[in-house]
Every structure is written in C-alpha cells, then in structure tokens.
Amino acid sequence: MDTESENPEKQNDNRGIVFFIAEETMDLTNLPEYISAIVAIIALLISCYQARLSNKQSLLNRRLNIWITVDKLMSVYAKNAKNLEYDDEPQMAIDLLFFWLTNTTYLQSISASINKVLDADLQLKLHLKLDEMRSLAMEAKFCFKGKSGDAIAEFIEAYQSLLFSMYQYQILFNKMLQNAKEYQWTLEQASEKLCEPDQRRDLFEKENALAASYKTLCQQNKRGAIQRQIKLAGPIWR
C-alpha cells in the first residue's frame, strides 16, 4: 500500500510546515517595502510639522511688526494728545499738529506734505502712505484674533483718517487766507464763505475717534491680550 495514503496526518503536517515557511519568506521579502512606507510616513509628518511651525513663525513675525508700528504711533500720539485739544475757531496751527503726529520713522516721508499741499510728488507720497495704513489696518484684523485685531485696526484707521482730515483742512485754510487777502475779508468772513466750520467739525470728529481708539488700546487687558498673541509658545497644531 502507498505510504502517503497510509499516513494522511503526517502528510498534512508537512504541508503546514511548507506553508509556514512560504509565508515567512513572503514577509521577509516585503519587509523593505514596509520600512520604506514607514519612513515615508515619518518624513511626511516631519514635513507637515515644519510647515506648520514656519507658518506660525511667519504669523508671529507679522504680528510683531504690526504691533511695533502701532506702538510707535501710540507713543507719538501720547506725546501730542494735549496739543490736539481744540477750540471752536479756525485751526491756524494745523500744519504744526500734522508735523507732530508724523514725527516718527514710519510717517516721516509725509511730514513735508502739509507745507506744500499742492505739490504733486508730496501728494503722491501722502496718498501712498495713507493707503498703506489702511492696508495695515485690514491686515491687523486677519493677523490678530478677536477684539484685539479690531482695536488695532480702529486705531490705525483713525490715525490715517485724522491725518487726511488735517491735510484737507490745510488746503481749505490756505484758500481762506488767499481769499481774505484778495477780497479784503476778515478771517471770520472767509471762514463763513468757504464753509470752514463744516470742515472743522469733521476734523474734531476725527480727533475724537483717534482719542477713543487710543484709550481702548491703552486698557491693560487689551494690551495683555495682544502681547499674548505675539508669542510662539503653545501647541504647534492649535
């Protein structure tokens, strides 16, 4: 009788050993692929982490740059706030106030524009800087979270609005002086005929808006919230 037919159990054991050896051989054969896949996943995670860290660092740098600019403007305003206390009459020293509010490295390029309001080159510099300030205010809303971004943006917008209102007022005031000389008017007559009180009210409204926005930024909790956002500390995936 055939030996294989006499020992079926032994035959099954032999087949099991062969299958086990074949499976182990297949696992060893695929091992480099498994290792490559694991290495690729780790590299992807590291790359994502580095990209996230770089983005957070860029955001930190942008927040810091915005706040440095705003802090300088706040310092300039604080030094000259008392000089902006107005009286309800033609503002004959508006050019001096404009010069004081632009007496910082960020705004020094437009200081001279108030003395030559009809100079095309100086007008261009002024409008470019004011546009830059409006863009900076919009950027602050996106870079800083919540009410902090709104408070910073409101201060920047109020600052540039006041500067432009001062510039407009100086143009009107120059025209008042010119017409008073030409037509032998008094300053009060020139003011009335050229609707100077309306421009003056707009100027005062802009000054009040800047004062209010400055007061908001000076609040301890507001400054603290802003400064806490200018940090890289904390979970990188947050």
Side-chain angles (χ1 to χ4, degrees):
M1 182 178 292
D2 192 352
T3 305
E4 292 184 0
S5 61
E6 291 178 353
N7 302 296
E9 293 181 359
K10 184 176 181 180
Q11 184 177 3
N12 291 335
D13 291 342
N14 291 338
R15 288 177 180 175
I17 293 172
V18 171
F19 289 149
F20 175 78
I21 294 174
E23 289 178 357
E24 289 296 315
T25 302
M26 290 178 63
D27 289 341
L28 292 175
T29 302
N30 295 333
L31 183 60
E33 296 180 3
Y34 296 152
I35 294 175
S36 298
I38 293 172
V39 170
I41 293 173
I42 294 175
L44 180 60
L45 291 175
I46 293 175
S47 177
C48 291
Y49 177 86
Q50 290 176 336
R52 180 73 176 179
L53 182 62
S54 177
N55 290 339
K56 194 165 186 179
Q57 181 66 56
S58 297
L59 178 59
L60 166 69
N61 292 339
R62 195 60 204 135
R63 284 175 177 172
L64 182 59
N65 290 335
I66 292 172
W67 181 243
I68 288 174
T69 299
V70 170
D71 191 56
K72 289 180 180 179
L73 294 178
M74 290 177 68
S75 297
V76 172
Y77 175 78
K79 292 177 182 178
N80 298 285
K82 290 185 178 180
N83 297 324
L84 292 175
E85 295 178 357
Y86 52 81
D87 45 19
D88 197 14
E89 60 184 27
Q91 303 296 290
M92 302 179 65
I94 199 67
D95 55 342
L96 184 58
L97 295 176
F98 184 93
F99 178 79
W100 285 339
L101 287 181
T102 56
N103 188 26
T104 174
T105 53
Y106 180 67
L107 297 174
Q108 65 179 358
S109 62
I110 64 173
S111 292
S113 61
I114 198 71
N115 296 324
K116 299 179 180 179
V117 292
L118 299 181
D119 185 289
D121 292 335
L122 294 177
Q123 281 183 346
L124 178 60
K125 287 183 179 181
L126 175 70
H127 288 298
L128 288 175
K129 178 58 70 173
L130 296 181
D131 284 343
E132 179 184 324
M133 294 180 73
R134 283 189 287 269
S135 297
L136 187 67
M138 184 179 297
E139 188 176 3
K141 289 184 178 181
F142 290 104
C143 289
F144 287 88
K145 298 177 181 178
K147 295 182 179 179
S148 297
D150 293 336
I152 293 174
E154 287 174 5
F155 177 76
I156 299 173
E157 289 173 350
Y159 208 108
Q160 71 85 23
S161 293
L162 176 57
L163 292 179
F164 187 56
S165 183
M166 287 178 163
Y167 183 81
Q168 290 179 310
Y169 187 88
Q170 185 64 51
I171 294 174
L172 177 63
F173 187 74
N174 288 350
K175 189 174 182 180
M176 283 172 52
L177 295 178
Q178 180 182 351
N179 286 5
K181 182 179 180 180
E182 182 176 354
Y183 300 114
Q184 301 299 310
W185 293 342
T186 63
L187 189 62
E188 290 74 16
Q189 289 174 326
S191 171
E192 182 180 353
K193 292 179 181 296
L194 296 179
C195 301
E196 181 269 340
D198 293 338
Q199 185 65 41
R200 193 194 316 164
R201 278 192 294 271
D202 178 76
L203 179 66
F204 293 163
E205 289 175 3
K206 298 299 192 300
E207 290 177 355
N208 290 336
L210 180 57
S213 62
Y214 172 79
K215 185 177 180 180
T216 299
L217 275 181
C218 284
Q219 295 174 1
Q220 187 63 35
N221 60 336
K222 189 68 64 180
R223 292 179 69 91
I226 292 170
Q227 291 169 358
R228 283 193 295 272
Q229 292 189 44
I230 310 177
K231 293 180 180 179
L232 192 58
I236 193 64
W237 298 106
R238 185 172 61 187

